[in-house]
């Protein structure tokens, strides 16, 4: 797949090397909102097959001004449920999970998923 973005709505994704990056424009305080949104995008737009092995998942929620009242653990669960079956077979394959909230230039959520490096491997 080319490094360009796919998707034209609130959700877009691209592959960069072994990583997949997904962005979701806008924020809401309801974590449950994200699961069907991202799931439908993956179902309709995503063409790659899921893989086995351990994965690292990084979720970044960027906000402008005061952060929304949203539990990051609920957000992570909703997003993992949405991408399960598309990027990896089961969320038990997530060996490292980083979820972060910080102020940014615009309100969005970015998800990066990539194979976990084996111990002793460079990087």
């Amino acid at each position: 797949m080319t490094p360009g973005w796919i998707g034209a709505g609130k959700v877009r994704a691209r592959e960069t090397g072994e990583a997949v990056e997904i962005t979701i424009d806008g924020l809401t305080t309801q974590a449950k909102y994200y699961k069907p949104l991202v799931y439908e995008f993956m179902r309709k737009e995503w063409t790659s097959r899921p893989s086995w092995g351990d994965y690292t998942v990084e979720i970044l929620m960027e906000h402008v001004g005061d952060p929304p009242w949203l539990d990051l653990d609920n957000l992570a669960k909703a997003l993992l449920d949405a991408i399960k079956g598309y990027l990896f077979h089961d969320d038990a394959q997530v060996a490292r999970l980083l979820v972060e909230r910080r102020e940014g230039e615009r309100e969005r959520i970015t998800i990066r998923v990539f194979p976990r490096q084996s111990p002793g491997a460079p990087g």
Side-chain angles (χ1 to χ4, degrees):
M1 183 174 216
T2 63
W5 292 93
I6 61 168
K10 283 186 167 284
V11 182
R12 296 181 306 139
R14 67 178 174 181
E15 287 185 80
T16 55
E18 290 188 318
V20 173
E21 185 176 347
I22 301 168
T23 63
I24 306 159
D25 288 333
L27 293 178
T28 178
T29 58
Q30 299 295 312
K32 63 185 178 183
Y33 165 83
Y34 296 104
K35 183 177 177 180
L37 181 72
V38 175
Y39 176 82
E40 281 301 305
F41 170 83
M42 298 303 287
R43 187 178 71 79
K44 292 177 180 176
E45 305 278 347
W46 198 250
T47 56
S48 298
R49 308 278 293 156
S51 299
W52 292 105
D54 286 347
Y55 279 86
T56 295
V57 177
E58 298 173 348
I59 300 170
L60 172 62
M61 180 180 74
E62 294 178 87
H63 61 88
V64 175
D66 291 336
W69 195 257
L70 174 66
D71 291 340
L72 291 181
D73 59 326
N74 293 336
L75 175 65
K77 182 64 177 154
L79 295 173
L80 290 174
D81 285 348
I83 62 176
K84 175 178 63 178
Y86 295 98
L87 302 182
F88 42 78
H89 293 278
D90 189 271
D91 52 7
Q93 292 175 253
V94 178
R96 181 173 184 266
L97 175 62
L98 174 66
V99 187
E100 181 181 0
R101 176 185 67 219
R102 70 172 179 226
E103 193 158 352
E105 294 179 12
R106 57 197 261 201
E107 295 191 332
R108 69 177 162 200
I109 295 171
T110 304
I111 309 163
R112 287 191 68 240
V113 180
F114 50 94
R116 178 145 186 199
Q117 297 292 330
S118 58

